[in-house]
Structure formats: structure tokens, C-alpha cells
Amino acid sequence: MMMIRTPPAAQVVDWSAAEASLFRVLIGTYYDYCPIARLLGTKTCRQVYEFRVKESSIIARTPAENEDTPPRKKKRKHHR
């Protein structure tokens, strides 16, 4: 009989503002969750991954600031 492994349930973990801010800085440099978890020192790889999933769903829903703004006109060069 084969056993099927199911992933563990998502852990609800509180993130301080400092941890969240540091994560947002580090995710631009480190694309793997484990180095970020080691640098934070208070979270596991899984917790960092779950935070990333939650963050990306929040970021994806907010419209871009300049979405409805038309592009600026190009300045003309003045010839002398």
C-alpha cells in the first residue's frame, strides 16, 4: 500500500513590520526563500514562502499608480 504525502497545512504566523520590510528588500536580491529565512532568523523557509504567496496576492490586486495617466509628451529640441 502506497502512502500519499500531503503538504502540511499553512501556518498562521505573525510578521512584525520590520520583518515584512526586510523581506521586501531581500526578495529583490534573493529569489530562494531559505536564505531569506536564515537572514531573518525568526522564520522558516516555509513561513517565508507562505508570506511571499500572501504578499503577491495583495500586490497583484492593487492597481498601478500611473495606470490611467497618459504618457508625457516628449520635449522638442530647440535649434539655434
Side-chain angles (χ1 to χ4, degrees):
M1 180 177 206
M2 289 182 60
M3 297 293 287
I4 298 174
R5 286 184 65 177
T6 58
Q11 300 171 338
V12 178
V13 180
D14 289 329
W15 283 66
S16 70
E19 289 171 331
S21 180
L22 184 57
F23 167 81
R24 291 180 190 116
V25 171
L26 295 174
I27 198 64
T29 304
Y30 299 95
Y31 301 104
D32 188 20
Y33 307 108
C34 292
I36 296 172
R38 283 193 294 274
L39 289 168
L40 287 170
T42 58
K43 303 289 183 257
T44 65
C45 299
R46 175 92 184 178
Q47 291 166 337
V48 172
Y49 166 76
E50 289 170 356
F51 185 76
R52 173 64 172 164
V53 170
K54 185 180 87 173
E55 282 278 295
S56 63
S57 67
I58 292 169
I59 292 169
R61 279 191 251 136
T62 57
E65 289 180 20
N66 60 357
E67 195 171 280
D68 297 329
T69 309
R72 290 185 176 195
K73 292 182 179 178
K74 293 182 179 178
K75 290 184 180 180
R76 300 174 91 192
K77 291 184 180 179
H78 297 287
H79 296 294
R80 294 184 184 187

